[in-house]
Amino acid sequence: MNTSNDKKYPPLKNVVAAVEPPVFERALPMSKFADTIKTYQEAMILPRISIVSMIHSSLYMVPLSWYSENEDRYAHEAQSKVDQSCHNRFDYSSVKVLKAKASANHFLVEHLSDFLTRIRSDLLVVLASNRKGVPYWLLGSFAETAALTCKTSVMVVKSQSKIELATKPRLTVAVDSNAKYTSKDINWLIGLALPGQVRLDLLFVRPKPSGVLSALRKPKQPPIADKKLKKFEQELKIAGVSTTLTFAKEVDSIAETIVDFSEKKKSWGIVTISTERSIARKLLLGSTARKILMLTKRPFFSIRTR
């Protein structure tokens, strides 16, 4: 990873917000979502964005044949309603409605992900529904599915009550000493942080022994692992990003330790980075990312640069 303070790092440009079409009052409330996007735009973390929505036959209580004949009209109506619901709430350039063939979350995310890949999107912004209990287990979460499986980077906005943010923008970045970070990961973080002078609080949680899993979770050579993360920190500092590196001990779980840290810092969000890992570590750390997403009330970033 080579960086220098005279190198130009492109900021995030192609950011897309996914908005559920307001069909039959099924859409999620927009206020928290819109307010968060506006706050991030005013802080120069997010640029002017484009909006995408999706329709499918399950949204409309009509026979499939009728839906097929009128799909274009439904798409036009959905585009108009999404535009109305977002008007004057945050800065956006366009609204596009995609036509999905299935309603299951993994199909919707796959369809949206293919679209984002074609337009080379830097980031997808979605709103979490906070669905819990039986409805969650039956229907799942579109935001969670997107955060964990989308081909592009994802920012999940939580719809809980208002949270307290630090006066100056700062993000908690969960790092792993066993991860293979690349220049793309570094440059993505720099592009996110530099425009708004966002402080990045790198956090590595030292796992506590946990039986058979401890071999997967604990670095074999801590001094070497620490040196690797300090180099990661230095790369960001050389590029002009205000950065700190903290080593913390796992308390109840790695996810809870990260979330607690972000609360104390009044962080503007928690960032996780998807990297090359063994299948076992992917399963372990994937569950940690999912738990962070479930526990935190703050925006959650899942970064994918590959």
Side-chain angles (χ1 to χ4, degrees):
M1 296 180 290
N2 295 314
T3 59
S4 66
N5 33 9
D6 60 351
K7 183 176 178 180
K8 300 297 183 183
Y9 299 96
L12 301 185
K13 291 182 179 179
N14 195 355
V15 176
V16 176
V19 176
E20 188 175 345
V23 178
F24 302 130
E25 305 300 325
R26 290 186 182 183
L28 297 173
M30 280 292 299
S31 57
K32 178 65 176 178
F33 190 56
D35 290 347
T36 300
I37 291 176
K38 185 177 181 180
T39 298
Y40 273 63
Q41 286 180 328
E42 290 175 344
M44 298 180 66
I45 300 175
L46 294 181
R48 192 180 199 195
I49 66 176
S50 57
I51 297 172
V52 66
S53 190
M54 285 186 289
I55 61 169
H56 45 81
S57 59
S58 300
L59 289 173
Y60 299 87
M61 298 178 183
V62 297
L64 183 59
S65 59
W66 177 271
Y67 172 82
S68 298
E69 292 176 5
N70 293 274
E71 187 178 39
D72 289 340
R73 177 170 67 84
Y74 290 144
H76 180 74
E77 290 174 352
Q79 180 178 354
S80 178
K81 289 180 179 179
V82 169
D83 194 13
Q84 290 174 16
S85 68
C86 297
H87 185 64
N88 286 335
R89 292 184 172 223
F90 53 87
D91 189 13
Y92 64 94
S93 57
S94 62
V95 177
K96 183 177 180 61
V97 174
L98 305 179
K99 303 168 186 175
K101 300 301 181 185
S103 60
N105 285 323
H106 65 282
F107 285 122
L108 293 175
V109 171
E110 183 177 0
H111 186 58
L112 178 57
S113 186
D114 289 341
F115 169 75
L116 296 172
T117 300
R118 289 198 302 273
I119 66 171
R120 297 183 180 181
S121 172
D122 295 317
L123 180 69
L124 169 68
V125 186
V126 298
L127 175 65
S129 64
N130 282 343
R131 186 183 290 128
K132 297 180 181 179
V134 174
Y136 173 83
W137 291 111
L138 289 178
L139 302 174
S141 164
F142 175 84
E144 179 184 285
T145 305
L148 299 177
T149 67
C150 193
K151 298 174 185 176
T152 191
S153 298
V154 177
M155 172 184 174
V156 179
V157 176
K158 308 303 286 287
S159 58
Q160 281 104 330
S161 57
K162 189 175 181 180
I163 56 175
E164 186 177 358
L165 300 177
T167 305
K168 294 183 179 180
R170 64 193 306 160
L171 293 168
T172 296
V173 183
V175 291
D176 177 12
S177 60
N178 286 307
K180 298 178 181 179
Y181 298 114
T182 68
S183 58
K184 288 184 178 180
D185 300 319
I186 292 284
N187 292 342
W188 201 100
L189 286 173
I190 294 170
L192 175 70
L194 271 186
Q197 295 299 300
V198 179
R199 184 184 187 88
L200 298 183
D201 296 314
L202 307 183
L203 175 64
F204 173 58
V205 180
R206 296 191 190 280
K208 58 186 177 183
S210 58
V212 294
L213 290 179
S214 60
L216 290 173
R217 304 171 74 202
K218 187 176 181 180
K220 294 180 180 179
Q221 297 175 299
I224 295 177
D226 293 357
K227 186 176 180 181
K228 182 178 178 182
L229 291 178
K230 288 175 181 177
K231 183 180 178 182
F232 187 104
E233 175 194 23
Q234 190 61 26
E235 294 280 357
L236 293 168
K237 286 184 174 180
I238 290 174
V241 178
S242 176
T243 312
T244 63
L245 173 60
T246 300
F247 294 91
K249 293 182 180 180
E250 179 183 0
V251 183
D252 296 318
S253 70
I254 291 179
E256 288 172 279
T257 305
I258 293 170
V259 171
D260 288 345
F261 178 89
S262 71
E263 287 297 318
K264 291 176 182 177
K265 297 293 183 181
K266 299 179 183 178
S267 196
W268 286 43
I270 298 176
V271 179
T272 63
I273 306 172
S274 177
T275 63
E276 294 294 332
R277 295 184 173 101
S278 67
I279 293 177
R281 283 193 66 79
K282 277 185 179 180
L283 291 173
L284 176 66
L285 296 169
S287 65
T288 297
R290 179 181 282 108
K291 192 169 183 180
I292 293 172
L293 177 57
M294 291 177 63
L295 289 173
T296 186
K297 296 179 181 179
R298 300 176 184 277
F300 172 86
F301 291 80
S302 177
I303 306 308
R304 287 182 173 80
T305 63
R306 289 150 184 79

